[in-house]
Amino acid sequence: MATWASLGFQDANSPLMEQLIFFHDHTLMILTMITVMVMYMMSTVLTNKLINRYLLEEQTIELIWTIVPAVILVFLALPSLRILYLMDEINKPLITIKSIGHQWYWSYEYSDIKNMEFDSYMKPTNELEEGEFRLLDVDNRIILPMNTQIRILITAADVLHSWAIPSLGIKIDATPGRLNQGSFIMNRPGLMFGQCSEICGANHSFMPIVIESIPKSQFINWLKSN
């Protein structure tokens, strides 16, 4: 989860988020190189007193500053298209859950495993236990197994919502009357926090999302006990 004064991304807990962070670093490196080069050229032009009084047209320079940006855009576009393809890829999911956005809480269904439904509300401050997080913890967490392909179907019952877990690199709009889907794999056990990322009304900031990633054996035992 994001901590105080955190300026970067959350620690990745899925292959997709790892790729997004790699692409961010790749893009930032290219932008840094461009910025340094432009600043160097500007400082050089402003500080020297050299004048080429015969320079009227220079097709070579124009050719260079047309080709170089085109090559840079290719280096940005290819990894971006690859990640877009990976985001849409759903490869034989083992578990499918359905998330429904309401004003202002989430409800979940494990319909393909067993007929189990529950609502997930944010815990009020006066009900928080030691170690729980204010404005982030919920009364019913989503329990899912790690190292498992999971598909999530998302819709809304009233207005637009958005189901987002930053550490998984997933953000899907919840649209009334429409099912959107996505998939993710969790690399390790732990808690992952998210929130609604679409302004949906007065209590938009009070409908958090919490996923608890556990080993498959514990997940099976949890299913048996429910």
Side-chain angles (χ1 to χ4, degrees):
M1 61 173 287
T3 54
W4 180 256
S6 178
L7 298 178
F9 292 107
Q10 297 184 22
D11 292 338
N13 196 19
S14 71
L16 177 59
M17 188 58 187
E18 290 175 355
Q19 293 298 318
L20 289 171
I21 293 176
F22 290 154
F23 177 66
H24 168 267
D25 296 341
H26 170 75
T27 305
L28 199 61
M29 180 189 67
I30 293 177
L31 292 177
T32 302
M33 293 170 59
I34 294 174
T35 304
V36 170
M37 183 182 69
V38 171
M39 290 180 64
Y40 171 75
M41 294 174 64
M42 290 181 63
S43 62
T44 303
V45 169
L46 293 174
T47 54
N48 74 69
K49 297 181 181 180
L50 301 176
I51 297 175
N52 185 355
R53 60 194 180 94
Y54 298 106
L55 180 62
L56 297 176
E57 294 183 6
E58 187 54 68
Q59 282 82 10
T60 305
I61 295 177
E62 293 179 358
L63 185 65
I64 291 173
W65 70 38
T66 301
I67 293 178
V68 170
V71 173
I72 293 173
L73 288 177
V74 169
F75 277 97
L76 291 174
L78 292 180
S80 177
L81 292 173
R82 175 176 171 271
I83 292 177
L84 284 175
Y85 175 78
L86 292 175
M87 291 174 69
D88 290 335
E89 184 179 8
I90 299 179
N91 185 21
K92 295 181 180 179
L94 187 64
I95 298 173
T96 299
I97 63 172
K98 184 178 180 181
S99 174
I100 305 172
H102 303 266
Q103 290 182 312
W104 285 274
Y105 65 96
W106 296 96
S107 61
Y108 299 97
E109 301 176 5
Y110 289 74
S111 53
D112 65 335
I113 301 177
K114 59 188 301 186
N115 192 16
M116 181 172 60
E117 304 177 10
F118 59 87
D119 297 330
S120 181
Y121 288 86
M122 185 191 75
K123 269 194 172 183
T125 304
N126 58 355
E127 296 181 9
L128 290 176
E129 300 177 2
E130 185 177 357
E132 294 184 333
F133 298 98
R134 176 178 171 270
L135 301 181
L136 283 179
D137 261 299
V138 295
D139 53 359
N140 290 310
R141 296 170 176 170
I142 314 167
I143 310 295
L144 292 172
M146 57 181 285
N147 295 325
T148 302
Q149 183 80 30
I150 297 167
R151 176 174 61 182
I152 181 162
L153 304 175
I154 297 175
T155 187
D158 35 48
V159 298
L160 288 174
H161 299 277
S162 186
W163 197 86
I165 304 287
S167 60
L168 296 178
I170 188 169
K171 179 181 180 294
I172 303 174
D173 289 338
T175 308
R178 175 175 177 174
L179 274 179
N180 292 327
Q181 69 173 348
S183 67
F184 57 89
I185 300 174
M186 296 174 290
N187 294 336
R188 57 184 183 274
L191 295 178
M192 283 142 286
F193 296 89
Q195 290 176 307
C196 176
S197 297
E198 183 76 36
I199 297 178
C200 55
N203 292 328
H204 155 70
S205 57
F206 303 113
M207 48 184 302
I209 306 161
V210 182
I211 294 181
E212 183 174 353
S213 173
I214 59 177
K216 291 181 182 179
S217 57
Q218 295 183 19
F219 178 73
I220 294 173
N221 293 333
W222 176 76
L223 286 177
K224 292 179 180 178
S225 62
N226 287 277

